[in-house]
Amino acid sequence: MKKTIVKSIICTFISLSLLISNFNSVFALNFDDDDNLYSEVFDTSSSTDESVLKDEFTELLMDLFSKRNSAILSGNCEQLKSFYNLDKKVSLYAYENEVKKINYLKNWCEKQSVNFNNIDAIIKVRKVREREPNLFGITCNVSSEFDYTYTTNPDEHNKFKLGTSHYLHLLKDGDKYIITKEWYTDPFSDSLDLENINSDKIKEYILSRKAEEITLDERTQNAIDYAHKFCGLCDETDYIFKYNKDYTNFNPAGGDCANFASQILYEGGRFKKNKTWNYLGKDGSKAWVNAQAFKNYMVNSGRASYIAKGTYEQIYKDAYNLRPGDFVAYEKGGKIVHVSTVTGLDSKGYPLVTCHNTDRLLVPYDLGWSNSNIKFHLIDVHY
């Protein structure tokens, strides 16, 4: 790859037109430093050109995600059309999918009575190769930080982070670049078909709440600290986009949420392992790594107990009884499919969760899980 070609990437990106084929939650990236997960996608041999391309494509992708985030903030779906070739079926589908996301976020903000003020993105390009002339394959991780305020308290800012992992193809097409393929983990994939929530009563109740002063014991505080450090979205440079290497990352095998929730309780909360709940070598017991089994074990062992169970409209008041160190299990189709640990409360006392796949740091517990077919299991952990 000649340097002149690299420079032309930046010049031509000003007129970027994007064609996105979006397959949600298909490609889960390993946050470890080794790149074995990508061995089937890229020749892992290094080159001086790749280092240069990483820097150049980081600039390109920063601009791309900045424009996407602007569309979320404005709620203006029309401005997204310039990113797509709507004459192509796959591109039209991708556009319609993004519109669904924006409408979902608008609906959630209305229900919650909040406004998004800003969205910042941090991008780490992991691999970039020219697959064929003018076609580049890229893998990257993105950390998006959302700033929101309640309508009645515009000066009290709350922040949360979402992590997404992307694999995409960028094709040079004349004087512009087109994204011809993109796989990524989508934190809203379970809520794109959300019906409008009857939000007046919910909104009134949320706005009536006030954050309480909470003092955490040492075990619970250590659990929270561990969760924030190894969630993959830590503010510390040494830990961003990384998990604890002492444990296997089970995302490629179907999900790492229960494994991470177990780590939080063991490494931070000092819960003792036993024959049922255990991790040894590079694998854990079913109760350690499986969301359904983890929830059942915690409740049946007496290490935790129920606060409430039901749809969002049935449990949203009970959720205010959650405290840092507790967890939320999410049921879909009669089965627990995900668990998240409560690690904070926002300015209205709304529970915030931290988890793996997709990675979340201090995210409102129902964001991305609001469909009517989702049931919430609110679990009090006995530290």
Side-chain angles (χ1 to χ4, degrees):
M1 172 60 65
K2 302 295 185 182
K3 289 186 177 180
T4 55
I5 296 177
V6 175
K7 290 180 180 179
S8 70
I9 295 172
I10 298 298
C11 297
T12 55
F13 188 73
I14 296 174
S15 57
L16 178 67
S17 173
L18 300 171
L19 171 61
I20 297 175
S21 177
N22 177 6
F23 299 91
N24 296 328
S25 302
V26 171
F27 193 77
L29 300 186
N30 191 329
F31 290 132
D32 292 341
D33 285 334
D34 63 40
D35 293 303
N36 293 333
L37 185 62
Y38 313 129
S39 59
E40 296 182 2
V41 179
F42 295 108
D43 175 0
T44 57
S45 60
S46 61
S47 68
T48 56
D49 283 340
E50 182 177 358
S51 177
V52 175
L53 285 174
K54 281 184 178 181
D55 292 337
E56 303 296 352
F57 274 104
T58 296
E59 299 273 347
L60 299 175
L61 295 173
M62 283 296 297
D63 188 70
L64 163 64
F65 285 100
S66 176
K67 287 180 169 65
R68 286 183 176 177
N69 291 337
S70 293
I72 293 174
L73 291 173
S74 67
N76 183 3
C77 301
E78 289 297 313
Q79 70 183 43
L80 279 180
K81 288 183 177 179
S82 62
F83 298 136
Y84 302 90
N85 182 348
L86 300 182
D87 293 329
K88 299 289 186 179
K89 187 174 182 180
V90 291
S91 185
L92 177 62
Y93 167 79
Y95 168 73
E96 291 173 343
N97 197 62
E98 293 300 317
V99 171
K100 281 186 176 182
K101 290 182 185 179
I102 291 174
N103 287 336
Y104 166 73
L105 288 171
K106 287 170 62 177
N107 188 17
W108 184 84
C109 286
E110 172 64 23
K111 179 273 297 182
Q112 200 74 5
S113 196
V114 302
N115 295 312
F116 287 135
N117 305 301
N118 191 49
I119 308 173
D120 289 323
I122 297 174
I123 297 173
K124 180 177 179 63
V125 175
R126 293 198 171 270
K127 289 286 183 181
V128 53
R129 290 291 300 272
E130 188 173 16
R131 298 176 59 85
E132 56 187 64
N134 296 322
L135 179 64
F136 299 87
I138 304 168
T139 60
C140 67
N141 301 122
V142 182
S143 171
S144 299
E145 183 178 68
F146 290 66
D147 179 293
Y148 72 93
T149 52
Y150 285 92
T151 56
T152 55
N153 302 84
D155 295 328
E156 296 183 359
H157 288 257
N158 304 277
K159 293 184 179 182
F160 65 83
K161 291 184 180 181
L162 294 170
T164 51
S165 305
H166 302 250
Y167 171 58
L168 60 145
H169 288 178
L170 270 175
L171 174 67
K172 184 179 180 182
D173 182 22
D175 62 350
K176 57 183 179 291
Y177 274 81
I178 299 172
I179 292 182
T180 58
K181 290 184 179 179
E182 183 178 15
W183 292 266
Y184 67 97
T185 54
D186 183 4
F188 306 119
S189 60
D190 286 284
S191 287
L192 293 184
D193 295 322
L194 175 68
E195 303 88 354
N196 287 329
I197 298 174
N198 183 11
S199 61
D200 288 344
K201 183 171 63 174
I202 296 173
K203 180 163 54 178
E204 181 181 354
Y205 186 81
I206 291 174
L207 291 178
S208 71
R209 303 291 302 188
K210 293 182 179 179
E212 300 178 12
E213 290 289 336
I214 296 177
T215 301
L216 301 179
D217 60 69
E218 183 180 359
R219 287 180 64 192
T220 305
Q221 185 62 60
N222 288 340
I224 304 312
D225 292 343
Y226 181 91
H228 291 175
K229 183 176 182 179
F230 290 108
C231 66
L233 300 169
C234 182
D235 289 329
E236 298 179 41
T237 304
D238 290 342
Y239 295 98
I240 189 170
F241 302 127
K242 294 180 181 179
Y243 291 173
N244 187 342
K245 288 188 175 182
D246 292 338
Y247 294 89
T248 298
N249 172 9
F250 291 103
N251 276 327
D256 198 60
C257 64
N259 178 39
F260 186 50
S262 293
Q263 291 174 43
I264 292 168
L265 294 177
Y266 173 71
E267 295 281 359
R270 298 203 296 271
F271 281 82
K272 293 182 179 180
K273 297 176 183 176
N274 53 43
K275 291 182 179 180
T276 304
W277 184 70
N278 193 23
Y279 187 95
L280 184 63
K282 294 185 178 182
D283 201 1
S285 64
K286 187 174 181 180
W288 186 285
V289 301
N290 177 271
Q292 178 85 47
F294 171 80
K295 188 275 296 181
N296 289 344
Y297 164 74
M298 289 298 295
V299 173
N300 294 335
S301 67
R303 289 183 161 183
S305 58
Y306 266 92
I307 296 173
K309 168 187 172 182
T311 64
Y312 179 78
E313 291 182 274
Q314 292 170 331
I315 60 86
Y316 73 90
K317 292 182 180 180
D318 294 308
Y320 285 92
N321 293 316
L322 287 166
R323 292 294 178 268
D326 296 339
F327 70 88
V328 180
Y330 304 82
E331 176 187 331
K332 187 175 182 180
K335 181 181 179 181
I336 301 297
V337 296
H338 183 64
V339 290
S340 295
T341 301
V342 178
T343 63
L345 306 173
D346 75 4
S347 61
K348 286 290 185 182
Y350 203 79
L352 308 174
V353 298
T354 298
C355 65
H356 285 176
N357 74 294
T358 57
D359 295 338
R360 289 170 164 84
L361 173 62
L362 292 169
V363 177
Y365 73 95
D366 67 305
L367 184 61
W369 294 95
S370 307
N371 281 14
S372 59
N373 64 338
I374 300 292
K375 290 184 178 179
F376 298 81
H377 296 241
L378 311 182
I379 308 297
D380 174 21
V381 177
H382 306 154
Y383 284 85

